[in-house]
């Protein structure tokens, strides 16, 4: 049985196991139709292949950006990997959807929703009920109350949240290190963030810049944003994708002095967007720098 959000967020960090946590998050459908999916230990082969390059530069890896982290399970593993390599980097972990709220509608009925009031889970007397519609619901007609509930509840939930009548929570793993080395920030990689400019010594974008999900133009926009977030020559970029058979294809890039990327290492034949990254050319700035 799926855990209700109230129960999940009320339990101590030591009482939730990773499998239960993954199952809880995997049942949440975001308002763009995606689920909070991730898997532990999915990047072992990438870590093994990229390790010598990371170890060589570990002294200069102070700030790292992990893009599209879902609930951050693989970000925690990235932090461990960097520590194993001898580093002490702080990590900014971003995703489109991090913030959420638990709103009590009436005693015995709570809704777990995003800040826009989009229901992610209903909690009826402690029993978790999914608010999203699946194909079978059109046969059983269960889609009618589900869709009706969403339409009616959304403005109500938004108002409650705006009035501060909710419990704010974050959709992030509870297995975070306690030293605060990972900070989660809601952010869209398609929109440039001034506060990230020239800040990071390494950026990872894993299982997000996929050709089946984004158009080449959108991927170019993301690459340009990532480029602007890198501190300068020598900074690292990891792009990877895991397929259905849990095999990884990824490339480790380094930013060159001329502002373009060079591939340092590949796993599984390299990233499917490697060409787009290598073809990227930074626009010259007013002072002629890239
Ligand atoms: C499949 S998960 C990948 C999680 C993790 N990086 C991994 O590889 O296990 C993709 C994540 O990217 C996020 N995402 C999608 N579009 C995004 C965007 N434009 N900016 C930031 N995150 C985005 C989704 O919300 C989702 O949580």
């Amino acid at each position: 049985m799926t855990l209700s959000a109230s129960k999940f967020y009320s339990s101590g960090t030591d009482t939730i196991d990773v499998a239960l946590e993954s199952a809880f998050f995997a049942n949440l459908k975001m308002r763009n139709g995606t689920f909070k999916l991730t898997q532990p230990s999915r990047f072992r082969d990438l870590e093994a292949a990229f390790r010598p390059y990371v170890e060589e530069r570990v002294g200069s890896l102070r700030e790292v950006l992990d893009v599209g982290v879902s609930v951050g399970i693989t970000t925690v593993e990235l932090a461990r990997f960097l520590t194993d390599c001898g580093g002490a980097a702080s990590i900014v972990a971003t995703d489109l959807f991090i913030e959420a709220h638990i709103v009590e509608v009436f005693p015995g009925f709570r809704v777990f929703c995003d800040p826009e009031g989009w229901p992610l889970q209903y909690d009826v007397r402690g029993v978790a009920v999914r608010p999203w519609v699946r194909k079978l619901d059109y046969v059983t007609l269960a889609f009618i109350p589900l869709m009706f509930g969403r339409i009616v509840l959304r403005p109500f939930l938004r108002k409650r949240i705006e009035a501060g009548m909710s419990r704010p929570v974050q959709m992030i793993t509870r297995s975070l290190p306690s030293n605060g080395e990972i900070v989660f920030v809601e952010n869209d990689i398609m929109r440039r963030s001034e506060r990230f400019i020239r800040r990071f010594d390494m950026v990872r974008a894993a299982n997000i810049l996929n050709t089946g999900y984004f158009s080449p133009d959108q991927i170019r926009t993301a690459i340009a944003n990532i480029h602007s977030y890198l501190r300068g020559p020598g900074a690292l970029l990891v792009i990877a994708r895991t397929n259905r058979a849990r095999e990884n294809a990824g490339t480790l890039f380094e930013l060159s002095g001329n502002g373009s990327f060079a591939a340092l290492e590949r796993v599984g034949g390299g990233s499917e967007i490697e060409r787009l990254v290598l073809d990227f050319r930074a626009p010259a700035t007013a002072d002629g720098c890239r």
Side-chain angles (χ1 to χ4, degrees), residues 14-207:
D14 49 343
T15 55
I16 295 280
D17 71 59
V18 177
L20 212 61
E21 178 180 86
S22 297
F24 168 73
F25 284 121
N27 259 303
L28 307 178
K29 190 173 186 179
M30 304 298 117
R31 61 176 189 274
N32 69 350
T34 61
F35 288 87
K36 285 257 157 224
L37 295 176
T38 184
Q39 285 149 11
S41 312
R42 62 174 12 173
F43 299 131
R44 283 214 183 110
D45 52 348
L46 293 175
E47 288 174 2
F50 299 164
R51 192 178 186 109
Y53 302 92
V54 172
E55 281 179 345
E56 218 174 89
R57 295 158 177 79
V58 83
S60 59
L61 294 184
R62 282 164 289 158
E63 286 211 82
V64 172
L65 174 66
D66 198 9
V67 179
V69 300
S70 186
V71 299
I73 288 175
T74 52
T75 311
V76 172
E77 292 169 354
L78 175 63
R80 264 188 230 129
F81 167 67
L82 293 173
T83 307
D84 277 0
C85 289
S90 58
I91 302 181
V92 174
T94 67
D95 200 278
L96 272 183
F97 304 105
I98 290 179
E99 308 302 332
H101 295 259
I102 299 172
V103 182
E104 186 171 62
V105 179
F106 51 77
F109 181 48
R110 295 191 186 107
V111 183
F112 181 49
C113 58
D114 78 5
E116 303 281 312
W118 179 266
L120 301 165
Q121 187 195 67
Y122 299 133
D123 177 344
V124 186
R125 295 186 186 283
V127 177
V129 178
R130 88 185 135 76
W132 44 273
V133 176
R134 56 182 175 195
K135 276 189 190 146
L136 188 64
D137 296 331
Y138 291 102
V139 179
T140 62
L141 301 186
F143 79 97
I144 298 171
L146 288 174
M147 285 174 97
F148 183 72
R150 194 163 65 207
I151 292 165
V152 171
L153 279 171
R154 210 174 158 189
F156 172 83
L157 296 169
R158 222 176 16 221
K159 273 195 196 131
R160 282 271 167 122
I161 292 166
E162 281 163 13
M165 296 169 75
S166 67
R167 180 180 167 200
V169 292
Q170 288 194 311
M171 292 184 279
I172 58 178
T173 177
R174 326 250 354 237
S175 59
L176 285 180
S178 54
N179 58 6
E181 67 180 330
I182 304 175
V183 174
F184 286 81
V185 178
E186 235 176 43
N187 187 268
D188 182 351
I189 193 58
M190 297 301 160
R191 290 164 185 252
R192 180 125 349 151
S193 288
E194 290 305 315
R195 61 183 167 158
F196 288 169
I197 302 284
R198 290 203 176 230
R199 184 168 149 188
F200 297 99
D201 307 293
M202 177 175 166
V203 174
R204 181 176 73 170
N207 292 305

